[in-house]
Amino acid sequence: MQIPLMQVPTPPGSAVVAPCCALAVTPVDEETAQRIAPMFKALGDPVRLQLAARIAAAGRTCVCDLTPHFDLSGPTISHHLKVLREAGLIDCERKGTWVYYWIRPESLATLAALLQADPVA
Amino acid sequence: MQIPLMQVPTPPGSAVVAPCCALAVTPVDEETAQRIAPMFKALGDPVRLQLAARIAAAGRTCVCDLTPHFDLSGPTISHHLKVLREAGLIDCERKGTWVYYWIRPESLATLAALLQADPVA
DNA sequence: CCTTTGAATAGATGATCGTCTAAACAGGAT
DNA sequence: ATCCTGTTTAGACGATCATCTATTCAAAGG
């Protein structure tokens, strides 16, 4: 029943007490889940994850600087950018012929806060 | 072009310099993206996000303690648990008639590390 | 052995997704 | 005005997804 991933085997019989993350502390009701899940979903595609990473790395990025790195059509890249944008992870602005995208760090922070090991511990 | 989410408006013209997160520092090549994206994808469904949160909160949780909280059939819950498990986010063990699930904190930590604000800054 | 209970698997169905091509749109430059 | 280039939108198509019911499996108890 094990699927290899990293190191710690996580003793099956251990009585887990310490909270592993905010997920374990902050109650995630249905409303919260429906607000947060689309962000994770947006990052749940390899192309979009790479797009987000490139935009995060480059700061303020023209679509024309993203497209060449993928073996995909322009419209497909545009579609993925739209998904990221509608999830609230990025935003954009047209400047003449070109459109520039940038990361919304608050959104990433929201997700990170849910996942990271309990900062209080 | 704005989609409301949190507070910071993120000035469009600002020359972003400081890395917002590990995404901006760690290069996310295609291979990495294909390894990580399924984990985000698994959390990208409201039901699975709530399942993960409940398991994280409860520590070591019987399926029978999860199912009643959702308006879904047993097999559907079972399916979602399988998705989370195959993504490496949870693991399970049968104990007699019951099956218990627990969180794999290393996996959550991997994702958190990618998203959280640059810890070096 | 048979029954019972908890959970997973099999298979079906309608919805959503990722991708493409073709067309439309936005702005500069001739 | 007209063209050219970068980007988005529209629409189509096959693949994957979330859910269900029916069935099977696992393990305990008579």
Side-chain angles (χ1 to χ4, degrees):
Chain A
M1 274 187 171
Q2 287 274 358
I3 294 175
L5 185 72
M6 293 184 71
Q7 66 285 30
V8 189
T10 311
S14 70
V16 178
V17 179
C20 67
C21 56
L23 265 189
V25 180
T26 311
V28 179
D29 53 37
E30 188 175 340
E31 186 190 304
T32 303
Q34 295 203 341
R35 194 181 75 248
I36 300 292
M39 301 193 213
F40 282 127
K41 190 176 185 178
L43 294 175
D45 177 276
V47 173
R48 288 196 292 266
L49 188 55
Q50 288 179 84
L51 281 170
R54 282 191 179 275
I55 294 171
R60 183 180 162 84
T61 317
C62 176
V63 176
C64 60
D65 288 331
L66 293 168
T67 307
H69 292 101
F70 298 87
D71 204 20
L72 292 169
S73 71
T76 296
I77 297 296
S78 191
H79 160 71
H80 284 305
L81 289 171
K82 186 179 185 179
V83 172
L84 286 169
R85 188 169 58 82
E86 290 183 340
L89 297 172
I90 63 178
D91 204 348
C92 67
E93 183 195 42
R94 177 177 284 271
K95 199 78 177 184
T97 308
W98 299 275
V99 176
Y100 293 88
Y101 282 81
W102 61 89
I103 283 281
R104 296 180 66 177
E106 338 87 75
S107 305
L108 296 191
T110 300
L111 300 184
L114 267 180
L115 296 176
Q116 72 194 345
D118 186 24
V120 187
Chain B
M1 273 186 172
Q2 288 274 356
I3 294 176
L5 185 72
M6 295 182 70
Q7 65 284 32
V8 190
T10 312
S14 69
V16 177
V17 180
C20 67
C21 56
L23 263 190
V25 181
T26 312
V28 178
D29 54 37
E30 187 175 340
E31 185 190 306
T32 303
Q34 296 203 342
R35 194 182 74 249
I36 301 292
M39 300 193 214
F40 282 126
K41 189 175 185 178
L43 294 176
D45 178 276
V47 173
R48 287 196 293 265
L49 187 56
Q50 288 179 84
L51 280 170
R54 282 191 178 274
I55 294 171
R60 182 180 163 83
T61 317
C62 176
V63 176
C64 61
D65 288 331
L66 293 169
T67 306
H69 292 101
F70 298 86
D71 204 19
L72 293 169
S73 71
T76 296
I77 297 297
S78 191
H79 160 71
H80 284 305
L81 290 171
K82 187 180 185 180
V83 172
L84 287 169
R85 188 169 58 84
E86 290 182 342
L89 296 172
I90 62 177
D91 203 350
C92 68
E93 184 196 40
R94 177 177 284 272
K95 200 77 178 184
T97 309
W98 300 275
V99 176
Y100 293 88
Y101 282 81
W102 61 90
I103 283 282
R104 296 181 66 177
E106 337 87 73
S107 305
L108 297 191
T110 299
L111 301 184
L114 267 180
L115 296 176
Q116 72 193 346
D118 186 24
V120 188

